[in-house]
Amino acid sequence: MAKVRLTAGRVAGFACPEGKQQAFLRDSEVPGLLLRATVAGSKAYVFEAVLSGKVIRVTIGSPASWTLDAARTEARRLRMLADQGIDPRTEREARKQAHVEARQKEAIAETPTLELWRAYCKDRRERWGERHYLDHVRMADPGGTPRKRGGGVTQAGILHGLLCHPLAGITPERIEQWARAEAKARPTQARLALRLLKAFLRWCAERQELRPILEQTRPLSAAPKAREVLGQAKAKSDVLQREQLAAFFKAVRALPDPAVAAYLQSLLLTGARPTELRLITWEHVDFQWRSLLLRDKVEGERIIPLTPYVGSLLAQLPRRGRYVFMTARSTDAPMSHANHALSRVCIIAGIPPVTPHGLRRSFGSLAEWVEVPAGITAQIMGHKPSAIAEKHYRVRPLDMLRTWHERIERWILEEAGISAPEEIEWPGLRVVSS
C-alpha cells in the first residue's frame, strides 16, 4: 500500500486502478489515516489500526464533506482511543446511540402533552370506572363539534388549552395562571381538573423518558398555590325533606318517559350512585330472589335488596335492549344522565333544586326517620366501612338488609301518599320492538 503525504491535489487525483474493487493511499503524516477509492468512483477517508491482533477500519467520511486537516484531526483522536484499547467502532456506535436518544428526548419534550394524556387514559382505562374515564376525555376535548341539543358548538375542555403545550411548558407559573382564569368561571370543574392533572403528572414522573422533564420544570410544586386560588369545595346539601316527598313523587310519576321516572324514583329508594344505577342491565336484576347487582366503584360490585316498589317499577319497563333504563330514542345504550328531567321535576313540584346525587343523599338522610342502623344504610349505599367492627366483624346477609330496606321504602312511600305493593308483580318476559 502506497504511503505518501496526502495533499489536496493527491486526494483529488487519486483513483482506483482498473481490475480492482478498491485501492488505498496511506498518509505518511498521520499514522492510520488512509484515502480509499472504489471502482464506482467514490472516495473516503478511513482510519486503520490493529486492535487485539486484528486489523480494524473505521470510515471517517468523504473528502467532499471532510477537509484534509479535519480528517487528520479525527484520525489522531481515533488513534488515541485505539492506543487505550478502546474500539473506535464501539465508541462511534455509542455516540450514534447517544445522538438518537438526545433526538428522542427532544421529540418527547416538543410533543404536545395532549398526546401523553391520551396515552395515560389508554394505560389506566381498565382501572377506571366509565364516568372517571369520560371525565378525562371531556376535559381534554378540543370542542367545536355541533351540540346534540340546541344550536352552536361544544366548548373546549377545561384542560385542553393547558395540554396543548409540551410537557416542559406546563410550568408552575402556567398552572397557577390557568387556575386564576378558571376560578372565575368554573371553580368546581377546575378543582376536579386539578386533581386529574396531578395524577397525570405523577404518572409521567414514573416514566424514565419523561422524568428529566418534570425534574426540571417541577409542575407539581404549583399544586398548593393552584388549590389556594381555586378555594375549597363547599359541602353539598341538596336533599329532599320529609314534607317534600308527596310533591316530588307526584311530579316524577307524571313524567312522559317511564324509564326516566323509574330511574329517578329508584335513585331515591335505593340510595345508589347515579351512574351505577343507570348502567344496570337486565341480567343484574333478579326478580326470583329479589336482588339487584350494582357495579360498585369501591368494592367492585355489591348486591342490594330489590324492594317491592322498585321491583314493580322495573317490571313495568319494556325490554328494548340489555340495559334496564333506556329511553324511547335509545337503541342499545343506557339513557343519558337525567339531570335536566330532575330539574323540571323540582320546578313542577315547587321544591328547591335537587341533583341525582342529592337523591342518594336523601336516602341516607330519610333512613334515620325509621332508626335504621348506620351500618345497614352504609352497606346498602356502598360506603366504605368506617370502623374496625364494621369492616371485620359485621357480615350481614341479604335478608337482613331487605328487612330494613323495605322498612325505609314503606316509610318514604307512606309519607308520599303512595300505597306500597307487598310483592313484586312480575308479568313475565316481554320484548318490545324499538
Side-chain angles (χ1 to χ4, degrees):
M1 184 183 300
K3 187 174 183 180
V4 296
R5 185 179 183 280
L6 294 179
T7 62
R10 285 173 176 163
V11 170
F14 183 64
C16 180
E18 294 184 5
K20 292 186 177 182
Q21 294 296 315
Q22 62 180 0
F24 294 90
L25 192 61
R26 187 183 299 276
D27 185 28
S28 60
E29 182 174 327
V30 178
L33 178 61
L34 311 176
L35 177 65
R36 179 180 62 198
T38 65
V39 67
S42 63
K43 298 178 184 178
Y45 292 114
V46 177
F47 172 74
E48 181 185 81
V50 177
L51 194 66
S52 300
K54 295 182 179 180
V55 177
I56 62 169
R57 286 174 180 166
V58 179
T59 301
I60 296 175
S62 169
S65 304
W66 288 73
T67 64
L68 183 55
D69 289 340
R72 282 174 172 152
T73 301
E74 178 65 7
R76 290 188 180 97
R77 189 185 71 82
L78 297 177
R79 167 57 62 185
M80 291 176 62
L81 293 175
D83 290 345
Q84 297 171 30
I86 301 174
D87 192 332
R89 296 170 300 180
T90 304
E91 186 266 350
R92 172 166 290 189
E93 288 301 320
R95 290 171 62 189
K96 286 183 179 179
Q97 183 63 29
H99 178 71
V100 171
E101 291 177 357
R103 292 295 300 272
Q104 289 176 345
K105 290 180 180 179
E106 291 177 3
I108 292 173
E110 295 172 358
T111 300
T113 310
L114 196 58
E115 294 185 18
L116 298 174
W117 181 269
R118 295 192 183 104
Y120 166 64
C121 293
K122 183 178 180 181
D123 179 59
R124 305 294 298 177
R125 182 169 187 176
E126 293 183 0
R127 300 175 177 85
W128 291 344
E130 186 65 17
R131 178 65 181 272
H132 193 60
Y133 171 74
L134 291 177
D135 280 341
H136 284 77
V137 174
R138 176 172 51 84
M139 290 186 175
D141 187 80
T145 57
R147 294 185 182 276
K148 294 181 180 179
R149 296 181 179 178
V153 296
T154 58
Q155 185 180 7
I158 192 170
L159 285 176
H160 180 263
L162 198 61
L163 297 177
C164 284
H165 296 282
L167 188 60
I170 301 182
T171 59
E173 294 77 17
R174 180 160 279 147
I175 293 176
E176 185 176 354
Q177 183 181 6
W178 165 84
R180 292 187 182 281
E182 296 298 341
K184 301 175 183 178
R186 37 186 176 176
T188 302
Q189 281 293 303
R191 282 189 286 266
L192 173 60
L194 181 62
R195 292 195 296 270
L196 301 187
L197 180 64
K198 286 168 56 182
F200 163 69
L201 292 175
R202 285 193 292 268
W203 176 85
C204 290
E206 296 172 358
R207 269 58 191 170
Q208 185 175 359
E209 67 275 15
L210 301 176
R211 190 179 299 125
I213 300 175
L214 295 178
E215 289 177 350
Q216 184 176 2
T217 57
R218 298 189 179 278
L220 282 172
S221 64
K225 292 183 179 180
R227 283 200 305 270
E228 182 179 347
V229 169
L230 295 173
Q232 294 293 328
K234 295 181 180 179
K236 302 294 189 299
S237 59
D238 58 310
V239 66
L240 284 176
Q241 301 296 331
R242 177 184 181 183
E243 58 272 16
Q244 297 169 345
L245 291 174
F248 171 80
F249 272 93
K250 181 180 178 180
V252 77
R253 296 175 79 186
L255 289 173
D257 194 327
V260 176
Y263 171 69
L264 293 178
Q265 292 176 85
S266 299
L267 271 182
L268 174 60
L269 294 172
T270 62
R273 297 177 181 89
T275 299
E276 66 186 13
L277 183 64
R278 186 174 60 87
L279 297 180
I280 63 170
T281 62
W282 286 110
E283 63 183 8
H284 295 156
V285 183
D286 190 338
F287 287 96
Q288 179 181 1
W289 301 107
R290 297 185 296 164
S291 64
L292 194 63
L293 175 66
L294 299 176
R295 298 298 181 186
D296 193 304
K297 74 173 187 178
V298 177
E299 301 295 338
E301 61 181 33
R302 74 178 187 278
I303 299 177
I304 65 173
L306 181 62
T307 51
Y309 185 77
V310 173
S312 66
L313 292 176
L314 303 188
Q316 295 171 15
L317 294 178
R319 289 198 177 190
R320 293 191 179 92
R322 61 188 296 258
Y323 291 99
V324 175
F325 299 109
M326 298 176 63
T327 61
R329 298 187 303 272
S330 300
T331 54
D332 192 24
M335 58 179 283
S336 58
H337 297 281
N339 299 62
H340 295 293
L342 183 54
S343 297
R344 291 196 300 272
V345 166
C346 294
I347 293 173
I348 294 171
I351 60 178
V354 179
T355 62
H357 197 84
L359 296 180
R360 168 174 163 85
R361 188 179 297 110
S362 300
F363 175 85
S365 301
L366 294 170
E368 295 191 355
W369 280 93
V370 289
E371 299 180 349
V372 179
I376 295 284
T377 306
Q379 187 169 338
I380 294 173
M381 297 179 68
H383 285 150
K384 279 186 176 182
S386 57
I388 295 297
E390 282 288 329
K391 187 173 183 180
H392 298 288
Y393 298 98
R394 296 290 186 272
V395 181
R396 301 182 183 91
L398 189 63
D399 282 347
M400 180 184 293
L401 296 180
R402 181 178 292 110
T403 300
W404 288 101
H405 199 167
E406 290 181 357
R407 184 180 300 183
I408 298 171
E409 181 181 89
R410 282 195 302 271
W411 183 86
I412 292 177
L413 295 177
E414 287 173 2
E415 294 298 320
I418 299 174
S419 299
E422 294 298 329
E423 296 291 339
I424 301 175
E425 296 180 3
W426 177 236
L429 298 179
R430 54 197 177 99
V431 178
V432 177
S433 58
S434 58

